[in-house]
Amino acid sequence: GKQIKLKEVEGTLLQPATVDNWSQIQSFEAKPDDLLICTYPKAGTTWIQEIVDMIEQNGDVEKCQRAIIQHRHPFIEWARPPQPSETGFHHVAQVGLELLSSSNPPASTSQSPKITDLLPPSFWENNCKFLYVARNAKDCMVSYYHFQRMNHTLPDPGTWEEYFETFISGKVVWGSWFDHVKGWWEMKDRYQILFLFYEDIKRDPKHEIRKVMQFMGKNLDETVLDKIVQETSFEKMKENPMTNRSTVSKSIMDQSISSFMRKGTVGDWKNHFTVAQNERFDEIYRKKMEGTSINFCMEL
Ligand code: A3P
């Protein structure tokens, strides 16, 4: 197995390179018109990134093919600030566990080790727009498991049974799915946050893409929207070298183990969870998500 040692920031495991650059990341200066894409890993980051860029480029496919998606939407946690030649927006992914604002102080710090703010404060200070995509926990777990198998910068996931425990306990990069999703869900009415679900985009892409368009303050023709729906389909993005990570070195991502664009479906968890695991998971889910109004679709 791979010997990757993750590091912790305020109780959340992160990749060593992110932690090493932490002060630089935290001092990132967002501009008021920045749009941030925030997701838990494997929730559909690449998909929403491509959708946002397609909208931004008014459906111009060639403009979206100008660079690989990781360069068009630089990840803040990789400390690669956007270049002037790139899109006018800054995009950030996978940051933001348990967001804390001054109006919501922790009752007791010793009791609340999770309360932290992983996002550079300037995003809140500038009242930036946030686009959050959530994906149901079971499919996220499955996708993350296969991602850790093929991604050599992440720890070996072990067996599926082992990974099941690892994921539930939040001992993965960006921490607990439960805390991440709950944290953003609770923040959504206090800031300019468009909260989307992977399952909704899958079921009715045009409807969700239109929401994103409106949130971005754009107005595109129906034909352009239809084109964006087509160009951001799983099949198209799987064969597109600008989105499918095929340009990433095999020593970082070995797609012969598992494709980055793996299945792109809702409900693949049914091919992985045993009946016993499913019952146990549902029980844990109920406890961890108690009091939250969020509702996930588990199959289409
Ligand atoms: P699976 O492993 O279930 O196939 P992220 O970009 O956050 O790392 O998420 C990756 C997941 O999103 C993968 O899930 C990938 O296949 C899926 N995905 C990427 N593009 C997609 C698209 N256009 N439609 C549906 N799913 C997509």
Side-chain angles (χ1 to χ4, degrees), residues 42-47 135 143 198 232 234 261-264:
K42 314 319 289 177
T45 322
T46 317
W47 193 8
R135 186 181 192 181
S143 185
Y198 178 101
T232 58
F234 178 75
M261 295 287 171
R262 197 183 58 88
K263 281 199 177 172

Side-chain angles (χ1 to χ4, degrees), residues 39-51 75 93-94 135 139-140 142-144 146-147 198 201-202 229 231-238 243 245 258-266 268:
T39 55
Y40 186 76
K42 314 319 289 177
T45 322
T46 317
W47 193 8
I48 196 68
Q49 286 174 333
E50 188 68 356
I51 289 171
F75 283 76
Q94 300 170 358
R135 186 181 192 181
D139 283 334
C140 256
V142 168
S143 185
Y144 214 165
H146 291 293
F147 189 57
Y198 178 101
I201 314 175
K202 193 79 199 174
V229 170
E231 293 298 328
T232 58
S233 71
F234 178 75
E235 291 70 26
K236 276 281 174 104
M237 285 182 62
K238 187 178 171 70
T243 52
R245 302 291 203 277
S258 181
S259 297
F260 182 81
M261 295 287 171
R262 197 183 58 88
K263 281 199 177 172
T265 57
V266 178
D268 191 36

Side-chain angles (χ1 to χ4, degrees), residues 1-14:
K2 294 164 275 168
Q3 297 301 310
I4 308 289
K5 192 95 185 79
L6 300 177
K7 294 189 178 179
E8 257 185 42
V9 172
E10 316 217 25
T12 301
L13 288 174
L14 295 170

